[in-house]
Each structure stands twice: as structure tokens, then as C-alpha cells.
Amino acid sequence: MASLSLQLSSLHHTSTTPLILRTAPLNLRTPTQKQFSIRSQSASVLSQDDLKKLAADKAVESVKSGMILGLGTGSTAAFVVDKLGQLLSTGQLSNIIGIPTSKRTQEQAASLNIPLSTLDMHPHMDLAIDGADEVDPNLDLVKGRGGALLREKMVEAASSSFIVVADDSKLVSGLGGSGLAMPVEVVQFCWKYNLVRLEGLFKELGVEAKLRLVGDGSEKPYVTDNGNYIVDLYFKNPIKDGFGAGKEISALEGVVEHGLFLGMATSVIIAGKTGVEVMAK
């Protein structure tokens, strides 16, 4: 099958002076993507959840008995956890240990009798499987719209392999290109100070920064499993230099983590109109 081709230096900032983003990335990478397709049911009769499940089932094929697994968070990752529970219950998998990336994933996995542990006890994992909010042509990601970005990044960075599962609506030509949130986890102390600084940092890209709320109609801020707030950045144009942007965000005092997952994915499994496609470096 034809190969799919989709598509600031770390400074210390104490003001909201806008930065002009460079067009060249700090890390020049030319990943070679290998791809194959598994023809499935016609996508015209499949819902988005059906597509997510197809991708999740394909990813779980890489799981072997005895593995230490990073368990992701979100609607697609939930299908992965469900499948693992099913395979354990039927004896098709055994002796696996899961490291959950959120409290809700921990609760789901425990309900399915999946043995669990922590990153402290298992600082190295064989494989992590998780969803993504955006996937660009280099297999770089935006993650964390589910609020678990810090734990996800910690666990997935400690894994030998990281498989991403998603439906084809998550494909973008450049990160931030969906116009949806790119999350930044910040401490509660003076969160507005950092919201203003983050917005100023990307002024040239027309960014709007918003404090994430719980979503129940109230003005109550969303609080992560780590007791922090999330500032969501909405880009009008894609980020041209993801590595530079990540460094600039991380340099701000009070920022805990950002939702740019760069150079981390080993492969991405996409379910779409032609079935399930695997993109690998």
C-alpha cells in the first residue's frame, strides 16, 4: 500500500513578549514510515467507537504473556484495557502487569482483574499502548485532552515500545492543526499568571488560552489526578516547530508538563475508511 504522508532554542521567559517561531525544527528527523493495511468491515457502517475498537484490538496483538504494560487513558485506551481483561479471563494471556496512567484507568483495569503495579516498582516497561488527540506525519502527537498527560508521558517514556491507537479523525498535517485543545498542566498557584504567559508565548500563532473547567456548567476548574490545573491552548495555525515550542513551554516556572509527545511513538495504528493501517518509524 502506498505510504501515508500526512503532515521556540530553550529561552527563559519572565514576560509575555511574543516570540517569532522558527520554521525549522530543532531536531531534524526523517523517519521512515512502514505501513500496512488490514481490510475490515466497510467504514460506512462503522461508528467512531467501532473504529477505535478495531485499532485497539490490533494493538493488543503485540501484547505477550509476561509483559509489563503501560495502560493509557481515554476512550480508545479503554478499549485496549477491555481487550486485555478479556484475554486474561480466557487464559489467552497470563502474567501481565499493568501500570495505569490515571485513576480511572486503574479502576477499570482493577474491575477486570488485571494485575496492577506502579512506575516506582517497575521503572521499565515492555510496551505502552495509548490513544492520541492528534497525530502528525512524523508520528508526533498531541495528547492529554483527557487530563492525564503527565502520568501518560512518564509511563510512556519509560516503555521500550509505545503503540498509539486512534481513528483517522486524529490525523493532522501539523500539531495544533485540529483547532482543538493542546493541554498544558500547571500548578494551581498563580495559574492565571501562567495562562497569560502561555498565550503571549504563541501570540504570533493566534493562540487563545483557556483554563479547563470540569464541564458541568459551573466555573469550577478541572483538577488533574496530580492536583494541578490545565490551561488549554487553541491554535489558529499549526505549530511549525514542535520541539522548540515544547522547550519554551517547559521553561516557564509553574508549568508541570505539556501535551506535545514528540519522538515517542514507535508506531501508530489508525482505523479508517480502508480498514486498519499501521504507521511505523
Side-chain angles (χ1 to χ4, degrees), residues 189-239:
F189 175 73
C190 295
W191 63 266
K192 189 173 183 180
Y193 167 71
N194 271 321
L195 182 150
V196 172
R197 293 203 295 172
L198 286 164
E199 191 168 74
L201 197 63
F202 297 101
K203 187 175 181 180
E204 297 300 320
L205 288 178
V207 164
E208 183 179 10
K210 296 181 179 180
L211 179 68
R212 184 177 297 187
L213 306 179
V214 295
D216 60 359
S218 73
E219 294 299 309
K220 184 178 179 181
Y222 175 88
V223 179
T224 70
D225 286 348
N226 316 298
N228 299 313
Y229 287 170
I230 289 180
V231 173
D232 285 321
L233 303 181
Y234 296 86
F235 290 84
K236 294 182 180 179
N237 298 289
I239 301 168

mmCIF file of all heavy atoms in Angstrom, residues 189-239:
data_model
loop_
_atom_site.group_PDB
_atom_site.id
_atom_site.type_symbol
_atom_site.label_atom_id
_atom_site.label_comp_id
_atom_site.label_asym_id
_atom_site.label_seq_id
_atom_site.Cartn_x
_atom_site.Cartn_y
_atom_site.Cartn_z
ATOM 1 N N PHE A 189 -1.152 27.447 41.955
ATOM 2 C CA PHE A 189 -0.652 28.740 42.408
ATOM 3 C C PHE A 189 -0.430 29.674 41.216
ATOM 4 O O PHE A 189 0.305 29.354 40.301
ATOM 5 C CB PHE A 189 0.658 28.547 43.166
ATOM 6 C CG PHE A 189 1.333 29.827 43.586
ATOM 7 C CD1 PHE A 189 0.815 30.595 44.623
ATOM 8 C CD2 PHE A 189 2.486 30.252 42.950
ATOM 9 C CE1 PHE A 189 1.434 31.772 45.016
ATOM 10 C CE2 PHE A 189 3.116 31.429 43.336
ATOM 11 C CZ PHE A 189 2.591 32.191 44.371
ATOM 12 N N CYS A 190 -1.123 30.816 41.224
ATOM 13 C CA CYS A 190 -0.985 31.839 40.181
ATOM 14 C C CYS A 190 -1.161 31.261 38.770
ATOM 15 O O CYS A 190 -0.410 31.577 37.845
ATOM 16 C CB CYS A 190 0.358 32.550 40.298
ATOM 17 S SG CYS A 190 0.539 33.513 41.812
ATOM 18 N N TRP A 191 -2.184 30.418 38.611
ATOM 19 C CA TRP A 191 -2.418 29.805 37.312
ATOM 20 C C TRP A 191 -2.695 30.837 36.222
ATOM 21 O O TRP A 191 -2.298 30.670 35.062
ATOM 22 C CB TRP A 191 -3.586 28.807 37.380
ATOM 23 C CG TRP A 191 -4.912 29.450 37.730
ATOM 24 C CD1 TRP A 191 -5.458 29.566 38.973
ATOM 25 C CD2 TRP A 191 -5.823 30.087 36.831
ATOM 26 N NE1 TRP A 191 -6.669 30.232 38.909
ATOM 27 C CE2 TRP A 191 -6.918 30.566 37.609
ATOM 28 C CE3 TRP A 191 -5.838 30.302 35.453
ATOM 29 C CZ2 TRP A 191 -8.003 31.244 37.044
ATOM 30 C CZ3 TRP A 191 -6.915 30.979 34.890
ATOM 31 C CH2 TRP A 191 -7.996 31.443 35.693
ATOM 32 N N LYS A 192 -3.373 31.937 36.593
ATOM 33 C CA LYS A 192 -3.701 32.949 35.583
ATOM 34 C C LYS A 192 -2.443 33.620 35.051
ATOM 35 O O LYS A 192 -2.355 33.980 33.871
ATOM 36 C CB LYS A 192 -4.655 33.984 36.168
ATOM 37 C CG LYS A 192 -5.216 34.955 35.131
ATOM 38 C CD LYS A 192 -6.282 35.857 35.715
ATOM 39 C CE LYS A 192 -6.858 36.761 34.642
ATOM 40 N NZ LYS A 192 -7.918 37.665 35.192
ATOM 41 N N TYR A 193 -1.451 33.813 35.923
ATOM 42 C CA TYR A 193 -0.148 34.352 35.525
ATOM 43 C C TYR A 193 0.455 33.502 34.408
ATOM 44 O O TYR A 193 0.958 34.023 33.393
ATOM 45 C CB TYR A 193 0.750 34.372 36.758
ATOM 46 C CG TYR A 193 2.216 34.611 36.525
ATOM 47 C CD1 TYR A 193 2.689 35.857 36.135
ATOM 48 C CD2 TYR A 193 3.144 33.588 36.737
ATOM 49 C CE1 TYR A 193 4.052 36.080 35.946
ATOM 50 C CE2 TYR A 193 4.494 33.793 36.558
ATOM 51 C CZ TYR A 193 4.955 35.038 36.158
ATOM 52 O OH TYR A 193 6.288 35.252 35.982
ATOM 53 N N ASN A 194 0.376 32.181 34.559
ATOM 54 C CA ASN A 194 0.922 31.311 33.523
ATOM 55 C C ASN A 194 0.029 31.231 32.301
ATOM 56 O O ASN A 194 0.523 31.081 31.178
ATOM 57 C CB ASN A 194 1.191 29.918 34.090
ATOM 58 C CG ASN A 194 2.576 29.812 34.680
ATOM 59 O OD1 ASN A 194 3.531 30.363 34.121
ATOM 60 N ND2 ASN A 194 2.712 29.137 35.807
ATOM 61 N N LEU A 195 -1.268 31.338 32.468
ATOM 62 C CA LEU A 195 -2.161 31.373 31.314
ATOM 63 C C LEU A 195 -1.815 32.545 30.413
ATOM 64 O O LEU A 195 -1.711 32.405 29.187
ATOM 65 C CB LEU A 195 -3.618 31.447 31.780
ATOM 66 C CG LEU A 195 -4.704 31.455 30.696
ATOM 67 C CD1 LEU A 195 -5.990 30.803 31.228
ATOM 68 C CD2 LEU A 195 -5.041 32.864 30.210
ATOM 69 N N VAL A 196 -1.617 33.725 31.023
ATOM 70 C CA VAL A 196 -1.271 34.914 30.252
ATOM 71 C C VAL A 196 0.078 34.741 29.562
ATOM 72 O O VAL A 196 0.260 35.108 28.390
ATOM 73 C CB VAL A 196 -1.269 36.166 31.168
ATOM 74 C CG1 VAL A 196 -0.714 37.373 30.428
ATOM 75 C CG2 VAL A 196 -2.681 36.455 31.685
ATOM 76 N N ARG A 197 1.050 34.167 30.270
ATOM 77 C CA ARG A 197 2.366 33.969 29.670
ATOM 78 C C ARG A 197 2.320 32.969 28.514
ATOM 79 O O ARG A 197 2.978 33.152 27.491
ATOM 80 C CB ARG A 197 3.359 33.504 30.734
ATOM 81 C CG ARG A 197 3.664 34.559 31.785
ATOM 82 C CD ARG A 197 5.008 34.302 32.443
ATOM 83 N NE ARG A 197 5.047 33.061 33.215
ATOM 84 C CZ ARG A 197 6.177 32.573 33.737
ATOM 85 N NH1 ARG A 197 7.328 33.196 33.559
ATOM 86 N NH2 ARG A 197 6.139 31.460 34.446
ATOM 87 N N LEU A 198 1.546 31.907 28.671
ATOM 88 C CA LEU A 198 1.424 30.928 27.594
ATOM 89 C C LEU A 198 0.776 31.533 26.356
ATOM 90 O O LEU A 198 1.210 31.285 25.225
ATOM 91 C CB LEU A 198 0.611 29.720 28.082
ATOM 92 C CG LEU A 198 1.344 28.771 29.032
ATOM 93 C CD1 LEU A 198 0.356 27.860 29.748
ATOM 94 C CD2 LEU A 198 2.385 27.953 28.270
ATOM 95 N N GLU A 199 -0.254 32.316 26.567
ATOM 96 C CA GLU A 199 -0.918 32.950 25.436
ATOM 97 C C GLU A 199 0.033 33.908 24.729
ATOM 98 O O GLU A 199 0.078 33.968 23.492
ATOM 99 C CB GLU A 199 -2.182 33.675 25.907
ATOM 100 C CG GLU A 199 -3.085 34.141 24.783
ATOM 101 C CD GLU A 199 -4.443 34.586 25.301
ATOM 102 O OE1 GLU A 199 -4.500 35.688 25.900
ATOM 103 O OE2 GLU A 199 -5.431 33.844 25.127
ATOM 104 N N GLY A 200 0.819 34.688 25.518
ATOM 105 C CA GLY A 200 1.782 35.613 24.933
ATOM 106 C C GLY A 200 2.896 34.911 24.189
ATOM 107 O O GLY A 200 3.404 35.410 23.172
ATOM 108 N N LEU A 201 3.274 33.751 24.657
ATOM 109 C CA LEU A 201 4.349 32.989 24.042
ATOM 110 C C LEU A 201 4.042 32.636 22.594
ATOM 111 O O LEU A 201 4.929 32.599 21.744
ATOM 112 C CB LEU A 201 4.575 31.713 24.866
ATOM 113 C CG LEU A 201 5.872 30.937 24.686
ATOM 114 C CD1 LEU A 201 7.069 31.782 25.095
ATOM 115 C CD2 LEU A 201 5.816 29.659 25.517
ATOM 116 N N PHE A 202 2.769 32.371 22.326
ATOM 117 C CA PHE A 202 2.376 31.948 20.982
ATOM 118 C C PHE A 202 1.489 32.983 20.292
ATOM 119 O O PHE A 202 0.655 32.628 19.457
ATOM 120 C CB PHE A 202 1.639 30.607 21.067
ATOM 121 C CG PHE A 202 2.486 29.488 21.594
ATOM 122 C CD1 PHE A 202 2.375 29.083 22.907
ATOM 123 C CD2 PHE A 202 3.408 28.868 20.776
ATOM 124 C CE1 PHE A 202 3.158 28.051 23.396
ATOM 125 C CE2 PHE A 202 4.200 27.832 21.258
ATOM 126 C CZ PHE A 202 4.081 27.418 22.564
ATOM 127 N N LYS A 203 1.674 34.244 20.639
ATOM 128 C CA LYS A 203 0.828 35.296 20.072
ATOM 129 C C LYS A 203 0.871 35.306 18.549
ATOM 130 O O LYS A 203 -0.142 35.535 17.886
ATOM 131 C CB LYS A 203 1.260 36.659 20.614
ATOM 132 C CG LYS A 203 0.344 37.799 20.209
ATOM 133 C CD LYS A 203 0.751 39.102 20.876
ATOM 134 C CE LYS A 203 -0.192 40.230 20.481
ATOM 135 N NZ LYS A 203 0.209 41.509 21.139
ATOM 136 N N GLU A 204 2.053 35.045 17.987
ATOM 137 C CA GLU A 204 2.184 35.073 16.533
ATOM 138 C C GLU A 204 1.375 33.970 15.849
ATOM 139 O O GLU A 204 1.115 34.048 14.652
ATOM 140 C CB GLU A 204 3.660 34.944 16.145
ATOM 141 C CG GLU A 204 4.533 36.094 16.629
ATOM 142 C CD GLU A 204 4.093 37.432 16.073
ATOM 143 O OE1 GLU A 204 3.720 37.472 14.879
ATOM 144 O OE2 GLU A 204 4.100 38.423 16.826
ATOM 145 N N LEU A 205 0.998 32.956 16.596
ATOM 146 C CA LEU A 205 0.177 31.881 16.033
ATOM 147 C C LEU A 205 -1.310 32.071 16.325
ATOM 148 O O LEU A 205 -2.114 31.197 16.010
ATOM 149 C CB LEU A 205 0.632 30.523 16.582
ATOM 150 C CG LEU A 205 1.977 30.000 16.061
ATOM 151 C CD1 LEU A 205 2.322 28.676 16.718
ATOM 152 C CD2 LEU A 205 1.945 29.847 14.547
ATOM 153 N N GLY A 206 -1.652 33.216 16.929
ATOM 154 C CA GLY A 206 -3.054 33.494 17.207
ATOM 155 C C GLY A 206 -3.660 32.560 18.219
ATOM 156 O O GLY A 206 -4.799 32.106 18.054
ATOM 157 N N VAL A 207 -2.896 32.260 19.275
ATOM 158 C CA VAL A 207 -3.355 31.283 20.259
ATOM 159 C C VAL A 207 -4.302 31.909 21.271
ATOM 160 O O VAL A 207 -4.104 33.041 21.712
ATOM 161 C CB VAL A 207 -2.141 30.669 21.004
ATOM 162 C CG1 VAL A 207 -2.573 29.956 22.265
ATOM 163 C CG2 VAL A 207 -1.419 29.702 20.091
ATOM 164 N N GLU A 208 -5.320 31.154 21.645
ATOM 165 C CA GLU A 208 -6.202 31.522 22.753
ATOM 166 C C GLU A 208 -6.001 30.501 23.861
ATOM 167 O O GLU A 208 -6.030 29.293 23.614
ATOM 168 C CB GLU A 208 -7.659 31.531 22.312
ATOM 169 C CG GLU A 208 -8.631 31.969 23.413
ATOM 170 C CD GLU A 208 -10.077 32.003 22.960
ATOM 171 O OE1 GLU A 208 -10.373 31.502 21.856
ATOM 172 O OE2 GLU A 208 -10.914 32.536 23.730
ATOM 173 N N ALA A 209 -5.748 30.998 25.085
ATOM 174 C CA ALA A 209 -5.529 30.117 26.233
ATOM 175 C C ALA A 209 -6.739 30.172 27.150
ATOM 176 O O ALA A 209 -7.259 31.256 27.452
ATOM 177 C CB ALA A 209 -4.269 30.530 26.990
ATOM 178 N N LYS A 210 -7.187 29.006 27.591
ATOM 179 C CA LYS A 210 -8.354 28.933 28.472
ATOM 180 C C LYS A 210 -8.080 27.959 29.609
ATOM 181 O O LYS A 210 -7.477 26.892 29.401
ATOM 182 C CB LYS A 210 -9.591 28.455 27.712
ATOM 183 C CG LYS A 210 -10.085 29.382 26.613
ATOM 184 C CD LYS A 210 -11.332 28.818 25.949
ATOM 185 C CE LYS A 210 -11.861 29.725 24.861
ATOM 186 N NZ LYS A 210 -13.087 29.151 24.221
ATOM 187 N N LEU A 211 -8.526 28.314 30.808
ATOM 188 C CA LEU A 211 -8.459 27.388 31.923
ATOM 189 C C LEU A 211 -9.506 26.311 31.709
ATOM 190 O O LEU A 211 -10.673 26.602 31.442
ATOM 191 C CB LEU A 211 -8.727 28.112 33.246
ATOM 192 C CG LEU A 211 -8.704 27.233 34.502
ATOM 193 C CD1 LEU A 211 -7.295 26.735 34.786
ATOM 194 C CD2 LEU A 211 -9.259 28.001 35.706
ATOM 195 N N ARG A 212 -9.126 25.055 31.838
ATOM 196 C CA ARG A 212 -10.085 23.966 31.660
ATOM 197 C C ARG A 212 -11.002 23.887 32.876
ATOM 198 O O ARG A 212 -10.545 23.926 34.019
ATOM 199 C CB ARG A 212 -9.381 22.624 31.464
ATOM 200 C CG ARG A 212 -10.347 21.478 31.173
ATOM 201 C CD ARG A 212 -9.641 20.172 30.912
ATOM 202 N NE ARG A 212 -8.792 20.229 29.728
ATOM 203 C CZ ARG A 212 -8.170 19.165 29.209
ATOM 204 N NH1 ARG A 212 -8.305 17.976 29.787
ATOM 205 N NH2 ARG A 212 -7.419 19.296 28.141
ATOM 206 N N LEU A 213 -12.289 23.782 32.612
ATOM 207 C CA LEU A 213 -13.296 23.655 33.663
ATOM 208 C C LEU A 213 -13.804 22.217 33.699
ATOM 209 O O LEU A 213 -13.564 21.429 32.780
ATOM 210 C CB LEU A 213 -14.439 24.640 33.416
ATOM 211 C CG LEU A 213 -14.033 26.116 33.253
ATOM 212 C CD1 LEU A 213 -15.261 26.981 32.979
ATOM 213 C CD2 LEU A 213 -13.282 26.612 34.482
ATOM 214 N N VAL A 214 -14.523 21.879 34.759
ATOM 215 C CA VAL A 214 -14.974 20.499 34.919
ATOM 216 C C VAL A 214 -16.025 20.100 33.903
ATOM 217 O O VAL A 214 -16.263 18.915 33.674
ATOM 218 C CB VAL A 214 -15.497 20.249 36.353
ATOM 219 C CG1 VAL A 214 -14.376 20.398 37.361
ATOM 220 C CG2 VAL A 214 -16.648 21.181 36.689
ATOM 221 N N GLY A 215 -16.704 21.071 33.296
ATOM 222 C CA GLY A 215 -17.643 20.750 32.235
ATOM 223 C C GLY A 215 -19.048 20.449 32.681
ATOM 224 O O GLY A 215 -19.833 19.891 31.922
ATOM 225 N N ASP A 216 -19.396 20.802 33.910
ATOM 226 C CA ASP A 216 -20.753 20.547 34.390
ATOM 227 C C ASP A 216 -21.592 21.813 34.403
ATOM 228 O O ASP A 216 -22.629 21.863 35.060
ATOM 229 C CB ASP A 216 -20.720 19.927 35.790
ATOM 230 C CG ASP A 216 -20.046 20.840 36.816
ATOM 231 O OD1 ASP A 216 -19.597 21.941 36.426
ATOM 232 O OD2 ASP A 216 -19.969 20.458 37.992
ATOM 233 N N GLY A 217 -21.148 22.829 33.671
ATOM 234 C CA GLY A 217 -21.860 24.092 33.625
ATOM 235 C C GLY A 217 -21.402 25.079 34.671
ATOM 236 O O GLY A 217 -21.807 26.241 34.649
ATOM 237 N N SER A 218 -20.589 24.639 35.598
ATOM 238 C CA SER A 218 -20.082 25.520 36.641
ATOM 239 C C SER A 218 -18.778 26.160 36.191
ATOM 240 O O SER A 218 -18.243 25.864 35.123
ATOM 241 C CB SER A 218 -19.848 24.746 37.938
ATOM 242 O OG SER A 218 -18.705 23.909 37.816
ATOM 243 N N GLU A 219 -18.238 27.059 37.017
ATOM 244 C CA GLU A 219 -16.950 27.684 36.742
ATOM 245 C C GLU A 219 -15.846 27.016 37.551
ATOM 246 O O GLU A 219 -14.782 27.607 37.743
ATOM 247 C CB GLU A 219 -17.027 29.184 37.074
ATOM 248 C CG GLU A 219 -17.968 29.969 36.179
ATOM 249 C CD GLU A 219 -17.543 29.922 34.711
ATOM 250 O OE1 GLU A 219 -16.356 30.207 34.439
ATOM 251 O OE2 GLU A 219 -18.385 29.593 33.857
ATOM 252 N N LYS A 220 -16.068 25.804 37.996
ATOM 253 C CA LYS A 220 -15.088 25.088 38.803
ATOM 254 C C LYS A 220 -13.975 24.544 37.916
ATOM 255 O O LYS A 220 -14.229 23.845 36.941
ATOM 256 C CB LYS A 220 -15.771 23.940 39.543
ATOM 257 C CG LYS A 220 -14.859 23.183 40.481
ATOM 258 C CD LYS A 220 -15.637 22.094 41.205
ATOM 259 C CE LYS A 220 -14.720 21.304 42.140
ATOM 260 N NZ LYS A 220 -15.468 20.227 42.842
ATOM 261 N N PRO A 221 -12.708 24.823 38.241
ATOM 262 C CA PRO A 221 -11.605 24.336 37.410
ATOM 263 C C PRO A 221 -11.481 22.817 37.462
ATOM 264 O O PRO A 221 -11.743 22.189 38.487
ATOM 265 C CB PRO A 221 -10.365 24.997 38.032
ATOM 266 C CG PRO A 221 -10.891 26.161 38.814
ATOM 267 C CD PRO A 221 -12.240 25.732 39.306
ATOM 268 N N TYR A 222 -11.070 22.243 36.364
ATOM 269 C CA TYR A 222 -10.740 20.824 36.311
ATOM 270 C C TYR A 222 -9.434 20.611 37.069
ATOM 271 O O TYR A 222 -8.475 21.373 36.905
ATOM 272 C CB TYR A 222 -10.578 20.379 34.855
ATOM 273 C CG TYR A 222 -10.127 18.952 34.681
ATOM 274 C CD1 TYR A 222 -11.051 17.914 34.624
ATOM 275 C CD2 TYR A 222 -8.769 18.646 34.572
ATOM 276 C CE1 TYR A 222 -10.629 16.593 34.464
ATOM 277 C CE2 TYR A 222 -8.346 17.334 34.409
ATOM 278 C CZ TYR A 222 -9.280 16.316 34.359
ATOM 279 O OH TYR A 222 -8.860 15.024 34.210
ATOM 280 N N VAL A 223 -9.388 19.587 37.905
ATOM 281 C CA VAL A 223 -8.189 19.271 38.676
ATOM 282 C C VAL A 223 -7.689 17.893 38.245
ATOM 283 O O VAL A 223 -8.442 16.920 38.216
ATOM 284 C CB VAL A 223 -8.464 19.288 40.187
ATOM 285 C CG1 VAL A 223 -7.208 18.924 40.970
ATOM 286 C CG2 VAL A 223 -8.981 20.663 40.619
ATOM 287 N N THR A 224 -6.408 17.809 37.896
ATOM 288 C CA THR A 224 -5.836 16.545 37.449
ATOM 289 C C THR A 224 -5.648 15.583 38.628
ATOM 290 O O THR A 224 -5.780 15.970 39.792
ATOM 291 C CB THR A 224 -4.465 16.770 36.778
ATOM 292 O OG1 THR A 224 -3.515 17.157 37.782
ATOM 293 C CG2 THR A 224 -4.559 17.852 35.713
ATOM 294 N N ASP A 225 -5.304 14.354 38.316
ATOM 295 C CA ASP A 225 -5.008 13.366 39.360
ATOM 296 C C ASP A 225 -3.852 13.818 40.235
ATOM 297 O O ASP A 225 -3.690 13.330 41.359
ATOM 298 C CB ASP A 225 -4.657 12.018 38.731
ATOM 299 C CG ASP A 225 -5.869 11.284 38.167
ATOM 300 O OD1 ASP A 225 -7.011 11.707 38.457
ATOM 301 O OD2 ASP A 225 -5.673 10.293 37.435
ATOM 302 N N ASN A 226 -3.046 14.750 39.739
ATOM 303 C CA ASN A 226 -1.876 15.242 40.472
ATOM 304 C C ASN A 226 -2.170 16.525 41.239
ATOM 305 O O ASN A 226 -1.260 17.108 41.840
ATOM 306 C CB ASN A 226 -0.725 15.482 39.492
ATOM 307 C CG ASN A 226 -0.587 14.356 38.504
ATOM 308 O OD1 ASN A 226 -0.330 13.221 38.888
ATOM 309 N ND2 ASN A 226 -0.804 14.642 37.230
ATOM 310 N N GLY A 227 -3.436 16.973 41.235
ATOM 311 C CA GLY A 227 -3.825 18.171 41.974
ATOM 312 C C GLY A 227 -3.512 19.468 41.266
ATOM 313 O O GLY A 227 -3.499 20.544 41.890
ATOM 314 N N ASN A 228 -3.298 19.407 39.941
ATOM 315 C CA ASN A 228 -2.969 20.607 39.167
ATOM 316 C C ASN A 228 -4.120 21.041 38.283
ATOM 317 O O ASN A 228 -5.106 20.327 38.128
ATOM 318 C CB ASN A 228 -1.735 20.329 38.296
ATOM 319 C CG ASN A 228 -0.517 19.972 39.125
ATOM 320 O OD1 ASN A 228 -0.201 20.639 40.110
ATOM 321 N ND2 ASN A 228 0.183 18.908 38.730
ATOM 322 N N TYR A 229 -3.969 22.221 37.688
ATOM 323 C CA TYR A 229 -4.924 22.734 36.709
ATOM 324 C C TYR A 229 -4.398 22.466 35.299
ATOM 325 O O TYR A 229 -3.215 22.124 35.113
ATOM 326 C CB TYR A 229 -5.132 24.242 36.880
ATOM 327 C CG TYR A 229 -5.944 24.652 38.097
ATOM 328 C CD1 TYR A 229 -6.007 26.015 38.470
ATOM 329 C CD2 TYR A 229 -6.644 23.731 38.859
ATOM 330 C CE1 TYR A 229 -6.746 26.417 39.575
ATOM 331 C CE2 TYR A 229 -7.390 24.126 39.957
ATOM 332 C CZ TYR A 229 -7.434 25.468 40.314
ATOM 333 O OH TYR A 229 -8.166 25.867 41.402
ATOM 334 N N ILE A 230 -5.272 22.641 34.315
ATOM 335 C CA ILE A 230 -4.865 22.543 32.914
ATOM 336 C C ILE A 230 -5.247 23.823 32.185
ATOM 337 O O ILE A 230 -6.399 24.281 32.266
ATOM 338 C CB ILE A 230 -5.509 21.327 32.219
ATOM 339 C CG1 ILE A 230 -4.883 20.031 32.740
ATOM 340 C CG2 ILE A 230 -5.328 21.406 30.699
ATOM 341 C CD1 ILE A 230 -5.446 18.768 32.127
ATOM 342 N N VAL A 231 -4.289 24.403 31.484
ATOM 343 C CA VAL A 231 -4.538 25.511 30.568
ATOM 344 C C VAL A 231 -4.542 24.927 29.157
ATOM 345 O O VAL A 231 -3.566 24.302 28.722
ATOM 346 C CB VAL A 231 -3.459 26.603 30.684
ATOM 347 C CG1 VAL A 231 -3.660 27.658 29.589
ATOM 348 C CG2 VAL A 231 -3.523 27.259 32.066
ATOM 349 N N ASP A 232 -5.648 25.085 28.463
ATOM 350 C CA ASP A 232 -5.758 24.572 27.105
ATOM 351 C C ASP A 232 -5.403 25.676 26.112
ATOM 352 O O ASP A 232 -5.918 26.787 26.197
ATOM 353 C CB ASP A 232 -7.183 24.076 26.830
ATOM 354 C CG ASP A 232 -7.473 22.745 27.512
ATOM 355 O OD1 ASP A 232 -6.573 21.884 27.529
ATOM 356 O OD2 ASP A 232 -8.602 22.571 28.019
ATOM 357 N N LEU A 233 -4.527 25.345 25.173
ATOM 358 C CA LEU A 233 -4.119 26.278 24.126
ATOM 359 C C LEU A 233 -4.814 25.900 22.824
ATOM 360 O O LEU A 233 -4.760 24.745 22.389
ATOM 361 C CB LEU A 233 -2.607 26.239 23.927
ATOM 362 C CG LEU A 233 -1.742 26.524 25.163
ATOM 363 C CD1 LEU A 233 -0.264 26.476 24.784
ATOM 364 C CD2 LEU A 233 -2.104 27.870 25.778
ATOM 365 N N TYR A 234 -5.457 26.883 22.220
ATOM 366 C CA TYR A 234 -6.162 26.678 20.956
ATOM 367 C C TYR A 234 -5.431 27.447 19.863
ATOM 368 O O TYR A 234 -5.394 28.669 19.865
ATOM 369 C CB TYR A 234 -7.616 27.144 21.070
ATOM 370 C CG TYR A 234 -8.426 26.346 22.066
ATOM 371 C CD1 TYR A 234 -8.432 26.689 23.419
ATOM 372 C CD2 TYR A 234 -9.166 25.242 21.654
ATOM 373 C CE1 TYR A 234 -9.167 25.954 24.340
ATOM 374 C CE2 TYR A 234 -9.911 24.501 22.569
ATOM 375 C CZ TYR A 234 -9.897 24.858 23.903
ATOM 376 O OH TYR A 234 -10.622 24.126 24.814
ATOM 377 N N PHE A 235 -4.846 26.712 18.937
ATOM 378 C CA PHE A 235 -4.053 27.311 17.865
ATOM 379 C C PHE A 235 -4.906 27.551 16.624
ATOM 380 O O PHE A 235 -5.681 26.682 16.217
ATOM 381 C CB PHE A 235 -2.891 26.389 17.494
ATOM 382 C CG PHE A 235 -1.830 26.288 18.551
ATOM 383 C CD1 PHE A 235 -1.967 25.390 19.604
ATOM 384 C CD2 PHE A 235 -0.704 27.077 18.498
ATOM 385 C CE1 PHE A 235 -0.992 25.283 20.586
ATOM 386 C CE2 PHE A 235 0.278 26.990 19.466
ATOM 387 C CZ PHE A 235 0.129 26.094 20.515
ATOM 388 N N LYS A 236 -4.720 28.737 16.024
ATOM 389 C CA LYS A 236 -5.386 29.015 14.758
ATOM 390 C C LYS A 236 -4.590 28.459 13.586
ATOM 391 O O LYS A 236 -5.125 28.258 12.498
ATOM 392 C CB LYS A 236 -5.606 30.523 14.590
ATOM 393 C CG LYS A 236 -6.590 31.111 15.600
ATOM 394 C CD LYS A 236 -6.814 32.584 15.373
ATOM 395 C CE LYS A 236 -7.797 33.146 16.392
ATOM 396 N NZ LYS A 236 -8.009 34.616 16.210
ATOM 397 N N ASN A 237 -3.292 28.266 13.815
ATOM 398 C CA ASN A 237 -2.411 27.701 12.798
ATOM 399 C C ASN A 237 -1.571 26.602 13.441
ATOM 400 O O ASN A 237 -1.261 26.665 14.630
ATOM 401 C CB ASN A 237 -1.495 28.784 12.216
ATOM 402 C CG ASN A 237 -2.273 29.884 11.540
ATOM 403 O OD1 ASN A 237 -2.851 29.687 10.474
ATOM 404 N ND2 ASN A 237 -2.303 31.056 12.163
ATOM 405 N N PRO A 238 -1.171 25.601 12.681
ATOM 406 C CA PRO A 238 -0.351 24.524 13.245
ATOM 407 C C PRO A 238 0.983 25.033 13.784
ATOM 408 O O PRO A 238 1.525 26.036 13.316
ATOM 409 C CB PRO A 238 -0.139 23.586 12.045
ATOM 410 C CG PRO A 238 -1.259 23.883 11.115
ATOM 411 C CD PRO A 238 -1.527 25.348 11.272
ATOM 412 N N ILE A 239 1.510 24.335 14.766
ATOM 413 C CA ILE A 239 2.824 24.644 15.323
ATOM 414 C C ILE A 239 3.884 24.231 14.309
ATOM 415 O O ILE A 239 3.901 23.096 13.839
ATOM 416 C CB ILE A 239 3.038 23.880 16.645
ATOM 417 C CG1 ILE A 239 1.947 24.257 17.658
ATOM 418 C CG2 ILE A 239 4.421 24.154 17.218
ATOM 419 C CD1 ILE A 239 1.919 23.354 18.871
#
